[in-house]
mmCIF file of all heavy atoms in Angstrom:
data_model
loop_
_atom_site.group_PDB
_atom_site.id
_atom_site.type_symbol
_atom_site.label_atom_id
_atom_site.label_comp_id
_atom_site.label_asym_id
_atom_site.label_seq_id
_atom_site.Cartn_x
_atom_site.Cartn_y
_atom_site.Cartn_z
ATOM 1 N N ASN W 351 -87.337 58.255 -103.503
ATOM 2 C CA ASN W 351 -87.490 58.950 -102.249
ATOM 3 C C ASN W 351 -87.611 60.392 -102.276
ATOM 4 O O ASN W 351 -87.686 61.087 -101.257
ATOM 5 C CB ASN W 351 -86.408 58.494 -101.269
ATOM 6 C CG ASN W 351 -86.672 57.001 -100.879
ATOM 7 O OD1 ASN W 351 -87.534 56.632 -100.192
ATOM 8 N ND2 ASN W 351 -85.669 56.103 -101.322
ATOM 9 N N GLY W 352 -87.620 61.010 -103.522
ATOM 10 C CA GLY W 352 -87.876 62.439 -103.571
ATOM 11 C C GLY W 352 -86.740 63.350 -103.446
ATOM 12 O O GLY W 352 -86.845 64.563 -103.183
ATOM 13 N N TYR W 353 -85.523 62.762 -103.381
ATOM 14 C CA TYR W 353 -84.289 63.581 -103.333
ATOM 15 C C TYR W 353 -83.926 64.182 -104.654
ATOM 16 O O TYR W 353 -83.950 63.559 -105.752
ATOM 17 C CB TYR W 353 -83.063 62.760 -102.747
ATOM 18 C CG TYR W 353 -83.174 62.328 -101.285
ATOM 19 C CD1 TYR W 353 -83.615 61.046 -101.006
ATOM 20 C CD2 TYR W 353 -82.907 63.184 -100.291
ATOM 21 C CE1 TYR W 353 -83.632 60.603 -99.767
ATOM 22 C CE2 TYR W 353 -82.898 62.797 -98.987
ATOM 23 C CZ TYR W 353 -83.317 61.521 -98.669
ATOM 24 O OH TYR W 353 -83.410 61.114 -97.322
ATOM 25 N N GLU W 354 -83.462 65.473 -104.585
ATOM 26 C CA GLU W 354 -82.910 65.973 -105.860
ATOM 27 C C GLU W 354 -81.452 65.706 -105.745
ATOM 28 O O GLU W 354 -80.859 65.690 -104.710
ATOM 29 C CB GLU W 354 -83.189 67.561 -105.805
ATOM 30 C CG GLU W 354 -84.616 67.941 -106.089
ATOM 31 C CD GLU W 354 -84.829 69.411 -106.317
ATOM 32 O OE1 GLU W 354 -84.561 70.076 -105.234
ATOM 33 O OE2 GLU W 354 -85.160 69.827 -107.287
ATOM 34 N N PHE W 355 -80.923 65.594 -106.958
ATOM 35 C CA PHE W 355 -79.421 65.304 -107.004
ATOM 36 C C PHE W 355 -78.771 65.864 -108.168
ATOM 37 O O PHE W 355 -79.360 66.217 -109.238
ATOM 38 C CB PHE W 355 -79.274 63.699 -106.953
ATOM 39 C CG PHE W 355 -79.814 63.071 -108.133
ATOM 40 C CD1 PHE W 355 -79.049 62.880 -109.337
ATOM 41 C CD2 PHE W 355 -81.215 62.698 -108.213
ATOM 42 C CE1 PHE W 355 -79.680 62.345 -110.452
ATOM 43 C CE2 PHE W 355 -81.739 62.033 -109.341
ATOM 44 C CZ PHE W 355 -80.920 61.917 -110.457
ATOM 45 N N LYS W 356 -77.446 66.014 -108.030
ATOM 46 C CA LYS W 356 -76.601 66.420 -109.232
ATOM 47 C C LYS W 356 -75.615 65.255 -109.413
ATOM 48 O O LYS W 356 -74.849 64.862 -108.445
ATOM 49 C CB LYS W 356 -75.792 67.659 -108.931
ATOM 50 C CG LYS W 356 -76.706 68.798 -108.854
ATOM 51 C CD LYS W 356 -75.863 70.202 -108.933
ATOM 52 C CE LYS W 356 -76.975 71.244 -108.944
ATOM 53 N NZ LYS W 356 -76.594 72.510 -109.318
ATOM 54 N N ASP W 357 -75.573 64.738 -110.640
ATOM 55 C CA ASP W 357 -74.743 63.634 -110.958
ATOM 56 C C ASP W 357 -73.462 64.217 -111.560
ATOM 57 O O ASP W 357 -73.512 64.773 -112.728
ATOM 58 C CB ASP W 357 -75.542 62.715 -111.892
ATOM 59 C CG ASP W 357 -74.712 61.517 -112.327
ATOM 60 O OD1 ASP W 357 -73.467 61.348 -111.953
ATOM 61 O OD2 ASP W 357 -75.179 60.625 -113.115
ATOM 62 N N LEU W 358 -72.318 64.103 -110.936
ATOM 63 C CA LEU W 358 -71.089 64.561 -111.393
ATOM 64 C C LEU W 358 -70.227 63.520 -112.239
ATOM 65 O O LEU W 358 -69.020 63.711 -112.476
ATOM 66 C CB LEU W 358 -70.168 65.033 -110.251
ATOM 67 C CG LEU W 358 -70.575 66.371 -109.608
ATOM 68 C CD1 LEU W 358 -70.458 67.502 -110.530
ATOM 69 C CD2 LEU W 358 -71.906 66.459 -108.876
ATOM 70 N N GLY W 359 -70.877 62.457 -112.658
ATOM 71 C CA GLY W 359 -70.197 61.445 -113.515
ATOM 72 C C GLY W 359 -69.500 60.498 -112.645
ATOM 73 O O GLY W 359 -69.574 60.513 -111.442
ATOM 74 N N THR W 360 -68.688 59.627 -113.264
ATOM 75 C CA THR W 360 -68.591 59.291 -114.600
ATOM 76 C C THR W 360 -69.703 58.491 -115.140
ATOM 77 O O THR W 360 -70.381 57.823 -114.282
ATOM 78 C CB THR W 360 -67.323 58.547 -114.931
ATOM 79 O OG1 THR W 360 -67.143 58.253 -116.311
ATOM 80 C CG2 THR W 360 -67.209 57.243 -114.075
ATOM 81 N N ASP W 361 -70.004 58.520 -116.398
ATOM 82 C CA ASP W 361 -71.174 57.746 -116.832
ATOM 83 C C ASP W 361 -70.579 56.465 -117.441
ATOM 84 O O ASP W 361 -71.447 55.678 -117.907
ATOM 85 C CB ASP W 361 -71.804 58.513 -118.023
ATOM 86 C CG ASP W 361 -72.543 59.696 -117.439
ATOM 87 O OD1 ASP W 361 -73.033 59.709 -116.245
ATOM 88 O OD2 ASP W 361 -72.576 60.833 -118.082
ATOM 89 N N GLY W 362 -69.399 56.179 -117.315
ATOM 90 C CA GLY W 362 -68.739 54.900 -117.770
ATOM 91 C C GLY W 362 -67.409 55.058 -118.217
ATOM 92 O O GLY W 362 -66.611 53.984 -118.177
ATOM 93 N N GLU W 363 -66.978 56.202 -118.720
ATOM 94 C CA GLU W 363 -65.637 56.321 -119.256
ATOM 95 C C GLU W 363 -64.611 56.258 -118.016
ATOM 96 O O GLU W 363 -64.888 56.790 -116.948
ATOM 97 C CB GLU W 363 -65.301 57.545 -120.041
ATOM 98 C CG GLU W 363 -66.121 58.850 -120.064
ATOM 99 C CD GLU W 363 -67.408 58.980 -119.430
ATOM 100 O OE1 GLU W 363 -68.323 58.327 -119.670
ATOM 101 O OE2 GLU W 363 -67.535 60.048 -118.694
ATOM 102 N N PRO W 364 -63.503 55.558 -118.250
ATOM 103 C CA PRO W 364 -62.517 55.418 -117.156
ATOM 104 C C PRO W 364 -62.060 56.847 -116.713
ATOM 105 O O PRO W 364 -61.851 57.717 -117.524
ATOM 106 C CB PRO W 364 -61.315 54.691 -117.876
ATOM 107 C CG PRO W 364 -61.922 53.970 -118.986
ATOM 108 C CD PRO W 364 -63.076 54.932 -119.418
ATOM 109 N N CYS W 365 -61.929 57.030 -115.336
ATOM 110 C CA CYS W 365 -61.506 58.286 -114.867
ATOM 111 C C CYS W 365 -60.809 58.063 -113.473
ATOM 112 O O CYS W 365 -60.776 57.016 -113.039
ATOM 113 C CB CYS W 365 -62.755 59.142 -114.690
ATOM 114 S SG CYS W 365 -63.827 58.656 -113.354
ATOM 115 N N ASP W 366 -60.204 59.135 -113.077
ATOM 116 C CA ASP W 366 -59.406 59.099 -111.850
ATOM 117 C C ASP W 366 -60.356 59.578 -110.645
ATOM 118 O O ASP W 366 -60.820 60.644 -110.728
ATOM 119 C CB ASP W 366 -58.205 59.963 -111.972
ATOM 120 C CG ASP W 366 -57.231 59.441 -113.056
ATOM 121 O OD1 ASP W 366 -57.203 58.261 -113.247
ATOM 122 O OD2 ASP W 366 -56.641 60.307 -113.775
ATOM 123 N N TYR W 367 -60.421 58.738 -109.636
ATOM 124 C CA TYR W 367 -61.375 59.010 -108.548
ATOM 125 C C TYR W 367 -61.201 60.428 -107.871
ATOM 126 O O TYR W 367 -62.105 61.044 -107.479
ATOM 127 C CB TYR W 367 -61.421 57.862 -107.586
ATOM 128 C CG TYR W 367 -60.177 57.495 -106.901
ATOM 129 C CD1 TYR W 367 -59.667 58.228 -105.794
ATOM 130 C CD2 TYR W 367 -59.372 56.401 -107.347
ATOM 131 C CE1 TYR W 367 -58.461 57.946 -105.209
ATOM 132 C CE2 TYR W 367 -58.200 56.156 -106.796
ATOM 133 C CZ TYR W 367 -57.733 56.916 -105.682
ATOM 134 O OH TYR W 367 -56.580 56.558 -105.119
ATOM 135 N N PRO W 368 -59.942 60.867 -107.773
ATOM 136 C CA PRO W 368 -59.756 62.259 -107.003
ATOM 137 C C PRO W 368 -60.383 63.347 -107.770
ATOM 138 O O PRO W 368 -60.873 64.302 -107.159
ATOM 139 C CB PRO W 368 -58.224 62.445 -106.979
ATOM 140 C CG PRO W 368 -57.663 61.055 -107.142
ATOM 141 C CD PRO W 368 -58.551 60.344 -108.087
ATOM 142 N N VAL W 369 -60.577 63.189 -109.100
ATOM 143 C CA VAL W 369 -61.196 64.254 -109.858
ATOM 144 C C VAL W 369 -62.700 64.361 -109.567
ATOM 145 O O VAL W 369 -63.315 65.401 -109.355
ATOM 146 C CB VAL W 369 -60.993 64.046 -111.438
ATOM 147 C CG1 VAL W 369 -61.740 65.071 -112.249
ATOM 148 C CG2 VAL W 369 -59.444 64.036 -111.734
ATOM 149 N N ILE W 370 -63.314 63.186 -109.436
ATOM 150 C CA ILE W 370 -64.715 63.135 -109.111
ATOM 151 C C ILE W 370 -64.955 63.483 -107.692
ATOM 152 O O ILE W 370 -65.866 64.276 -107.374
ATOM 153 C CB ILE W 370 -65.245 61.663 -109.406
ATOM 154 C CG1 ILE W 370 -65.001 61.228 -110.808
ATOM 155 C CG2 ILE W 370 -66.810 61.595 -108.945
ATOM 156 C CD1 ILE W 370 -65.825 61.925 -111.900
ATOM 157 N N ALA W 371 -64.072 63.066 -106.828
ATOM 158 C CA ALA W 371 -64.167 63.449 -105.411
ATOM 159 C C ALA W 371 -64.130 64.971 -105.258
ATOM 160 O O ALA W 371 -64.868 65.584 -104.476
ATOM 161 C CB ALA W 371 -63.077 62.806 -104.634
ATOM 162 N N GLU W 372 -63.233 65.609 -105.899
ATOM 163 C CA GLU W 372 -63.123 67.080 -105.862
ATOM 164 C C GLU W 372 -64.420 67.735 -106.354
ATOM 165 O O GLU W 372 -64.853 68.744 -105.720
ATOM 166 C CB GLU W 372 -61.850 67.572 -106.675
ATOM 167 C CG GLU W 372 -61.638 69.022 -106.470
ATOM 168 C CD GLU W 372 -60.423 69.536 -107.129
ATOM 169 O OE1 GLU W 372 -59.809 68.810 -108.072
ATOM 170 O OE2 GLU W 372 -59.912 70.640 -106.768
ATOM 171 N N ALA W 373 -64.971 67.256 -107.427
ATOM 172 C CA ALA W 373 -66.171 67.877 -108.035
ATOM 173 C C ALA W 373 -67.351 67.784 -107.060
ATOM 174 O O ALA W 373 -67.969 68.692 -106.813
ATOM 175 C CB ALA W 373 -66.517 67.131 -109.398
ATOM 176 N N VAL W 374 -67.485 66.568 -106.508
ATOM 177 C CA VAL W 374 -68.662 66.302 -105.547
ATOM 178 C C VAL W 374 -68.422 67.172 -104.263
ATOM 179 O O VAL W 374 -69.352 67.833 -103.825
ATOM 180 C CB VAL W 374 -68.780 64.743 -105.335
ATOM 181 C CG1 VAL W 374 -69.704 64.606 -104.095
ATOM 182 C CG2 VAL W 374 -69.387 64.035 -106.439
ATOM 183 N N CYS W 375 -67.262 67.072 -103.704
ATOM 184 C CA CYS W 375 -66.933 67.747 -102.487
ATOM 185 C C CYS W 375 -67.101 69.241 -102.576
ATOM 186 O O CYS W 375 -67.427 69.948 -101.685
ATOM 187 C CB CYS W 375 -65.660 67.347 -101.892
ATOM 188 S SG CYS W 375 -65.617 65.610 -101.380
ATOM 189 N N GLY W 376 -66.729 69.786 -103.823
ATOM 190 C CA GLY W 376 -66.834 71.211 -104.073
ATOM 191 C C GLY W 376 -68.199 71.671 -103.908
ATOM 192 O O GLY W 376 -68.471 72.809 -103.443
ATOM 193 N N LEU W 377 -69.183 70.851 -104.379
ATOM 194 C CA LEU W 377 -70.604 71.253 -104.275
ATOM 195 C C LEU W 377 -71.055 71.200 -102.883
ATOM 196 O O LEU W 377 -71.987 71.963 -102.463
ATOM 197 C CB LEU W 377 -71.485 70.397 -105.140
ATOM 198 C CG LEU W 377 -71.350 70.544 -106.603
ATOM 199 C CD1 LEU W 377 -72.268 69.554 -107.381
ATOM 200 C CD2 LEU W 377 -71.536 72.007 -107.103
ATOM 201 N N VAL W 378 -70.407 70.410 -102.060
ATOM 202 C CA VAL W 378 -70.826 70.221 -100.607
ATOM 203 C C VAL W 378 -70.253 71.414 -99.835
ATOM 204 O O VAL W 378 -70.963 72.081 -99.045
ATOM 205 C CB VAL W 378 -70.377 68.899 -99.991
ATOM 206 C CG1 VAL W 378 -70.613 68.847 -98.506
ATOM 207 C CG2 VAL W 378 -71.072 67.818 -100.727
ATOM 208 N N THR W 379 -69.006 71.732 -100.072
ATOM 209 C CA THR W 379 -68.324 72.910 -99.217
ATOM 210 C C THR W 379 -68.884 74.192 -99.774
ATOM 211 O O THR W 379 -68.912 75.146 -98.947
ATOM 212 C CB THR W 379 -66.792 72.860 -99.415
ATOM 213 O OG1 THR W 379 -66.449 72.883 -100.764
ATOM 214 C CG2 THR W 379 -66.178 71.594 -98.769
ATOM 215 N N SER W 380 -69.323 74.301 -100.946
ATOM 216 C CA SER W 380 -69.955 75.615 -101.369
ATOM 217 C C SER W 380 -71.307 75.771 -100.863
ATOM 218 O O SER W 380 -71.836 76.868 -100.863
ATOM 219 C CB SER W 380 -70.008 75.615 -102.965
ATOM 220 O OG SER W 380 -70.988 74.813 -103.418
ATOM 221 N N GLY W 381 -71.885 74.706 -100.330
ATOM 222 C CA GLY W 381 -73.308 74.760 -99.859
ATOM 223 C C GLY W 381 -74.393 74.462 -100.834
ATOM 224 O O GLY W 381 -75.607 74.370 -100.589
ATOM 225 N N GLU W 382 -73.932 74.322 -102.051
ATOM 226 C CA GLU W 382 -74.838 74.020 -103.231
ATOM 227 C C GLU W 382 -75.608 72.640 -102.991
ATOM 228 O O GLU W 382 -76.771 72.535 -103.272
ATOM 229 C CB GLU W 382 -74.211 74.031 -104.524
ATOM 230 C CG GLU W 382 -75.044 74.274 -105.686
ATOM 231 C CD GLU W 382 -74.168 74.446 -106.923
ATOM 232 O OE1 GLU W 382 -73.181 75.104 -106.887
ATOM 233 O OE2 GLU W 382 -74.654 73.909 -107.954
ATOM 234 N N CYS W 383 -74.871 71.796 -102.448
ATOM 235 C CA CYS W 383 -75.381 70.464 -102.062
ATOM 236 C C CYS W 383 -75.162 70.251 -100.542
ATOM 237 O O CYS W 383 -74.134 70.544 -99.968
ATOM 238 C CB CYS W 383 -74.740 69.327 -102.811
ATOM 239 S SG CYS W 383 -75.211 69.424 -104.629
ATOM 240 N N GLU W 384 -76.228 69.582 -100.028
ATOM 241 C CA GLU W 384 -76.210 69.427 -98.580
ATOM 242 C C GLU W 384 -75.288 68.183 -98.166
ATOM 243 O O GLU W 384 -74.572 68.243 -97.146
ATOM 244 C CB GLU W 384 -77.717 69.210 -98.158
ATOM 245 C CG GLU W 384 -78.052 68.528 -96.935
ATOM 246 C CD GLU W 384 -79.499 68.161 -97.002
ATOM 247 O OE1 GLU W 384 -80.254 68.594 -97.789
ATOM 248 O OE2 GLU W 384 -79.826 67.225 -96.230
ATOM 249 N N LYS W 385 -75.271 67.208 -99.061
ATOM 250 C CA LYS W 385 -74.394 66.003 -98.779
ATOM 251 C C LYS W 385 -73.960 65.538 -100.062
ATOM 252 O O LYS W 385 -74.522 65.746 -101.155
ATOM 253 C CB LYS W 385 -75.235 64.945 -98.065
ATOM 254 C CG LYS W 385 -75.594 65.295 -96.546
ATOM 255 C CD LYS W 385 -76.066 64.132 -95.897
ATOM 256 C CE LYS W 385 -76.607 64.501 -94.508
ATOM 257 N NZ LYS W 385 -78.022 64.933 -94.622
ATOM 258 N N GLY W 386 -72.930 64.567 -99.983
ATOM 259 C CA GLY W 386 -72.402 63.958 -101.125
ATOM 260 C C GLY W 386 -72.255 62.507 -100.989
ATOM 261 O O GLY W 386 -72.089 61.990 -99.842
ATOM 262 N N ILE W 387 -72.285 61.737 -102.173
ATOM 263 C CA ILE W 387 -72.134 60.358 -102.099
ATOM 264 C C ILE W 387 -71.066 60.055 -103.144
ATOM 265 O O ILE W 387 -71.141 60.480 -104.369
ATOM 266 C CB ILE W 387 -73.436 59.560 -102.429
ATOM 267 C CG1 ILE W 387 -74.453 59.784 -101.317
ATOM 268 C CG2 ILE W 387 -73.187 58.073 -102.543
ATOM 269 C CD1 ILE W 387 -75.846 59.158 -101.542
ATOM 270 N N LEU W 388 -70.038 59.235 -102.868
ATOM 271 C CA LEU W 388 -68.988 58.956 -103.765
ATOM 272 C C LEU W 388 -68.739 57.449 -103.820
ATOM 273 O O LEU W 388 -68.787 56.739 -102.851
ATOM 274 C CB LEU W 388 -67.626 59.631 -103.350
ATOM 275 C CG LEU W 388 -67.562 61.079 -103.425
ATOM 276 C CD1 LEU W 388 -66.385 61.625 -102.626
ATOM 277 C CD2 LEU W 388 -67.392 61.508 -104.898
ATOM 278 N N ILE W 389 -68.560 56.891 -105.004
ATOM 279 C CA ILE W 389 -68.477 55.454 -105.164
ATOM 280 C C ILE W 389 -67.174 55.159 -106.023
ATOM 281 O O ILE W 389 -67.067 55.704 -107.128
ATOM 282 C CB ILE W 389 -69.627 54.906 -105.917
ATOM 283 C CG1 ILE W 389 -71.003 55.306 -105.101
ATOM 284 C CG2 ILE W 389 -69.569 53.275 -105.881
ATOM 285 C CD1 ILE W 389 -72.024 55.714 -106.043
ATOM 286 N N CYS W 390 -66.382 54.329 -105.532
ATOM 287 C CA CYS W 390 -65.221 53.764 -106.358
ATOM 288 C C CYS W 390 -65.187 52.312 -106.038
ATOM 289 O O CYS W 390 -66.050 51.777 -105.464
ATOM 290 C CB CYS W 390 -63.917 54.477 -106.121
ATOM 291 S SG CYS W 390 -63.216 54.295 -104.507
ATOM 292 N N GLY W 391 -64.170 51.524 -106.537
ATOM 293 C CA GLY W 391 -64.124 50.089 -106.325
ATOM 294 C C GLY W 391 -64.234 49.721 -104.901
ATOM 295 O O GLY W 391 -65.071 48.850 -104.526
ATOM 296 N N THR W 392 -63.307 50.215 -104.105
ATOM 297 C CA THR W 392 -63.342 49.869 -102.597
ATOM 298 C C THR W 392 -63.980 51.024 -101.807
ATOM 299 O O THR W 392 -64.285 50.749 -100.570
ATOM 300 C CB THR W 392 -61.853 49.818 -102.079
ATOM 301 O OG1 THR W 392 -61.265 51.108 -102.453
ATOM 302 C CG2 THR W 392 -61.138 48.766 -102.810
ATOM 303 N N GLY W 393 -64.142 52.204 -102.344
ATOM 304 C CA GLY W 393 -64.556 53.414 -101.475
ATOM 305 C C GLY W 393 -63.358 54.020 -100.778
ATOM 306 O O GLY W 393 -63.494 55.224 -100.384
ATOM 307 N N ILE W 394 -62.281 53.351 -100.753
ATOM 308 C CA ILE W 394 -61.140 53.903 -100.047
ATOM 309 C C ILE W 394 -60.460 55.121 -100.715
ATOM 310 O O ILE W 394 -60.185 56.101 -100.105
ATOM 311 C CB ILE W 394 -60.091 52.772 -99.730
ATOM 312 C CG1 ILE W 394 -60.703 51.637 -98.925
ATOM 313 C CG2 ILE W 394 -58.870 53.336 -99.083
ATOM 314 C CD1 ILE W 394 -59.813 50.416 -98.782
ATOM 315 N N GLY W 395 -60.210 54.936 -101.977
ATOM 316 C CA GLY W 395 -59.667 56.093 -102.762
ATOM 317 C C GLY W 395 -60.472 57.331 -102.696
ATOM 318 O O GLY W 395 -59.971 58.483 -102.378
ATOM 319 N N MET W 396 -61.758 57.187 -102.826
ATOM 320 C CA MET W 396 -62.684 58.323 -102.733
ATOM 321 C C MET W 396 -62.634 58.916 -101.309
ATOM 322 O O MET W 396 -62.657 60.141 -101.150
ATOM 323 C CB MET W 396 -64.152 57.884 -103.029
ATOM 324 C CG MET W 396 -64.410 57.732 -104.604
ATOM 325 S SD MET W 396 -64.281 59.209 -105.526
ATOM 326 C CE MET W 396 -65.214 58.651 -107.026
#
Side-chain angles (χ1 to χ4, degrees):
N351 288 295
Y353 289 101
E354 289 188 295
F355 62 88
K356 286 194 181 195
D357 181 357
L358 282 300
T360 178
D361 293 327
E363 21 350 308
C365 68
D366 298 325
Y367 59 81
V369 175
I370 304 290
E372 187 177 16
V374 165
C375 292
L377 291 183
V378 175
T379 55
S380 72
E382 206 173 315
C383 290
E384 159 199 339
K385 291 192 188 84
I387 297 176
L388 288 167
I389 308 133
C390 66
T392 57
I394 295 171
M396 285 293 196

